[in-house]
Amino acid sequence: MRKNIVAGNWKMNKNLQEGVALATALNEALKDKKVNCDVIIGTPFIHLASVVNVVDKNKIGVAAQNCADKVSGAYTGEVSAEMVASTGAGYVILGHSERRAYYHETAEILKEKVLLALANGLTPIFCIGEVLAEREANKHFDVVKSQIETSLFDLTAEDFGKIVLAYEPVWAIGTGKTATAAQAQEMHAFIRRTLAAKYGQEVADNTSILYGGSANASNAKELFSNPDVDGGLIGGASLGVDKFMPIIEAF
Ligand code: PGA
């Protein structure tokens, strides 16, 4: 069965000490709590090893926000999937719209990153989503389908089964403008049908599809109550325990 997941994406926020303090506080808040979802925090690369050390791995998974599309070698400034895995992190966010837009990550590059993540035992949290103009032109379904097809549909069903998807309409990210619960459900159901057509109903039913884009304590419950919304990828509202915990507890 697919899992409910609430994953934080810290983006380029928090220095090392602040990040370790936030992870420690979240770990403390979850200590004696029984929650109904997996909890993941996506930290900057340099935080990974320290954050892994301060969280109970049975309660909090740790994710990188990117990894290289190359195995190793002369790629100054890059961080490989193997390096990420060696910190003890178990996940990597790939294909975030900010990576696609600002760092020109193409479908082909992302395909390589996904393969390297899987080869190193990392679970990719693969982001997809349309920009506003695409939605307004009624192209959002085609755009999302193509993002999935071009980067993921060469995977075997077994490997695809290791992927977590995050639908993040770009117009909703950091804007305070959330997709309505109906818009999220409509797209998530479409994504699941797309997966079923390629890999069969069982794989589709077992894939966690998260929603991202201005999700917060006040809208999480409604978003998560949709049958095809299996959790959230949370940016701004993951930067404080007070804001993040209520989202986790929305399940
Ligand atoms: P946001 O970011 O929650 O701040 O909108 C979500 C994301 O980009 O993953």
Side-chain angles (χ1 to χ4, degrees):
M1 260 315 278
R2 62 188 186 244
K3 289 177 174 169
N4 292 330
I5 299 171
V6 172
N9 174 10
W10 293 0
K11 308 192 179 183
M12 197 174 72
N13 293 294
K14 309 280 177 195
N15 66 27
L16 179 60
Q17 289 73 30
E18 291 163 348
V20 168
L22 173 55
T24 305
L26 182 65
N27 193 62
E28 195 56 36
L30 285 167
K31 206 165 157 191
D32 300 315
K33 279 234 160 79
K34 162 103 188 66
V35 294
N36 299 314
C37 62
D38 286 4
V39 177
I40 299 168
I41 47 181
T43 82
F45 286 129
I46 62 148
H47 300 46
L48 291 173
S50 308
V51 163
V52 163
N53 270 330
V54 296
V55 299
D56 174 352
K57 67 175 184 325
N58 298 314
K59 296 240 164 186
I60 301 177
V62 179
Q65 300 169 16
N66 182 26
C67 71
D69 62 335
K70 303 286 193 297
V71 175
S72 65
Y75 301 102
T76 302
E78 287 295 286
V79 175
S80 72
E82 189 199 350
M83 292 172 188
V84 170
S86 74
T87 67
Y91 301 82
V92 58
I93 299 168
L94 291 174
H96 192 281
S97 62
E98 288 150 18
R99 301 292 320 168
R100 293 179 192 257
Y102 307 149
Y103 303 99
H104 314 294
E105 295 194 2
T106 63
E108 278 305 309
I109 290 173
L110 291 171
K111 200 166 155 173
E112 295 306 314
K113 293 187 178 199
V114 167
L115 289 174
L116 287 166
L118 290 172
N120 286 283
L122 297 171
T123 298
I125 301 173
F126 191 82
C127 304
I128 51 195
E130 81 285 355
V131 300
L132 186 58
E134 290 163 341
R135 178 164 280 266
E136 285 174 349
N138 206 29
K139 289 190 178 135
H140 44 301
F141 294 114
D142 290 344
V143 167
V144 166
K145 184 174 185 207
S146 158
Q147 288 171 334
I148 296 171
E149 278 175 351
T150 51
S151 295
L152 302 176
F153 272 9
D154 285 343
L155 295 174
T156 61
E158 193 191 339
D159 275 346
F160 189 87
K162 298 170 188 158
I163 305 275
V164 172
L165 290 176
Y167 169 59
E168 300 204 298
V170 180
W171 46 271
I173 295 177
T175 57
K177 201 175 162 200
T178 321
T180 63
Q183 284 172 323
Q185 169 57 25
E186 182 186 35
M187 180 59 86
H188 284 226
F190 169 79
I191 293 169
R192 211 176 296 285
R193 287 198 299 278
T194 303
L195 305 186
K198 167 76 180 171
Y199 290 111
Q201 197 60 48
E202 195 181 334
V203 170
D205 284 343
N206 285 333
T207 303
S208 296
I209 309 174
L210 316 184
Y211 167 81
S214 300
N216 58 41
S218 14
N219 57 33
K221 225 185 186 82
E222 197 189 346
L223 286 163
F224 298 170
S225 68
N226 288 289
D228 288 296
V229 178
D230 307 310
L233 182 54
I234 317 296
S238 71
L239 293 173
V241 174
D242 55 329
K243 291 181 283 185
F244 197 45
M245 271 308 283
I247 303 176
I248 294 168
E249 292 177 312
F251 271 117

